[in-house]
Amino acid sequence: EVQLVESGGGLVQPGGSLRLSCTASGFTFSNYWMTWVRQAPGKGLEWMANIKEDGSKRYYMDSVKGRFTISRDNAENSVFLQMNSLRVEDTAVYYCARGFRGGSVGTGYWGQGTLVTVTP
Amino acid sequence: DIQMTQSPSTLSASVGDRVTITCRASQNINSWLAWYQQKPGKAPQLLIFQASSLQGGVPSRFSGSGSGTEFTLTISSLQPDDFATYYCHQFNSYPLTFGGGTKVEI
């Protein structure tokens, strides 16, 4: 069974940093693109970043470029999101997701999410 | 950036109704489109990928169609478990984007 478990969310002040982690199980992690998607309270889904199977390619949405960094450790079956210079508008539930099949950037399986709250 | 416009934003329906949700892309995305269902407090679940391929385990009352810039998600006979919010998602070009969502309610 595919499982994705996020951790690392919490309360942080504007300008602060957090590092989110997502640990995967139930599939060969190194065969899949991994993605972070967020959802602000009461709002829709927002694609943020993804990373290729071997970590050689990374893509970001404009508003987080230069502030957020996606990375992965295939030996540990984990993907990370380092978030710096956090803003109030970054408050959201952050989901990690796996490609719906090997080689696909489209997401198929999602974790349950971790809440990040940025407040003065 | 490719804008994904869903309509309607809210849809009132009854059990047994046939429901259609539309998603329009601002540029050609070929068939690089997925549909998700999300219930309150839960993660989204994949329904359809590549515009028309049903994800394993998803009931056959769900179907997707379209290519290029116009896509539809159809629920042939709405069931109580289907009251949720539905999102389309293009993965043709970066930045990847989602539609604004369609809430299906009673």
Side-chain angles (χ1 to χ4, degrees), chain A residues 39 47 50 59 100 107 111, chain B residues 36 38 42-43 49 87 94 96:
Chain A
Q39 187 169 35
W47 178 88
N50 67 1
Y59 298 92
F100 61 78
T107 57
Chain B
Y36 302 89
Q38 187 180 33
K42 301 292 187 182
F49 61 95
Y87 294 93
Y94 290 101
L96 308 189

Side-chain angles (χ1 to χ4, degrees), chain A residues 42-69:
Chain A
K43 302 297 185 182
L45 301 170
E46 184 173 50
W47 178 88
M48 296 176 51
N50 67 1
I51 185 167
K52 192 174 163 58
E53 296 95 337
D54 62 0
S56 62
K57 293 183 179 180
R58 313 173 196 208
Y59 298 92
Y60 299 90
M61 64 178 292
D62 284 349
S63 66
V64 306
K65 278 181 190 174
R67 299 191 300 126
F68 292 9
T69 302

Side-chain angles (χ1 to χ4, degrees), chain A:
Chain A
E1 180 192 2
V2 173
Q3 283 201 316
L4 298 166
V5 179
E6 301 95 337
S7 60
L11 198 64
V12 63
Q13 292 185 330
S17 298
L18 277 178
R19 187 186 194 225
L20 305 184
S21 300
C22 171
T23 302
S25 60
F27 63 98
T28 304
F29 182 75
S30 59
N31 287 352
Y32 292 87
W33 281 80
M34 296 300 295
T35 298
W36 286 97
V37 176
R38 70 183 180 186
Q39 187 169 35
K43 302 297 185 182
L45 301 170
E46 184 173 50
W47 178 88
M48 296 176 51
N50 67 1
I51 185 167
K52 192 174 163 58
E53 296 95 337
D54 62 0
S56 62
K57 293 183 179 180
R58 313 173 196 208
Y59 298 92
Y60 299 90
M61 64 178 292
D62 284 349
S63 66
V64 306
K65 278 181 190 174
R67 299 191 300 126
F68 292 9
T69 302
I70 189 171
S71 61
R72 66 190 294 160
D73 183 339
N74 286 348
E76 296 294 325
N77 291 342
S78 294
V79 61
F80 309 99
L81 187 68
Q82 177 66 44
M83 305 188 296
N84 298 330
S85 304
L86 282 161
R87 305 168 180 168
V88 170
E89 56 265 33
D90 294 319
T91 294
V93 174
Y94 285 71
Y95 296 101
C96 78
R98 191 204 85 173
F100 61 78
R101 64 184 175 210
S104 174
V105 302
T107 57
Y109 293 90
W110 299 53
Q112 286 307 299
T114 187
L115 177 63
V116 172
T117 303
V118 185
T119 184

Side-chain angles (χ1 to χ4, degrees), chain B residues 25-95:
Chain B
S26 60
Q27 302 173 34
N28 181 13
I29 60 169
N30 299 293
S31 295
W32 300 109
L33 182 106
W35 289 97
Y36 302 89
Q37 177 193 69
Q38 187 180 33
K39 296 180 180 178
K42 301 292 187 182
Q45 295 210 319
L46 177 66
L47 300 174
I48 303 284
F49 61 95
Q50 298 301 142
S52 60
S53 297
L54 193 67
Q55 170 73 340
V58 174
S60 59
R61 62 181 180 273
F62 291 93
S63 63
S65 64
S67 66
T69 62
E70 188 148 341
F71 302 86
T72 58
L73 173 70
T74 300
I75 309 172
S76 61
S77 178
L78 198 65
Q79 298 302 301
D81 191 48
D82 302 338
F83 291 95
T85 301
Y86 295 84
Y87 294 93
C88 61
H89 173 49
Q90 70 83 15
F91 49 100
N92 180 78
S93 59
Y94 290 101

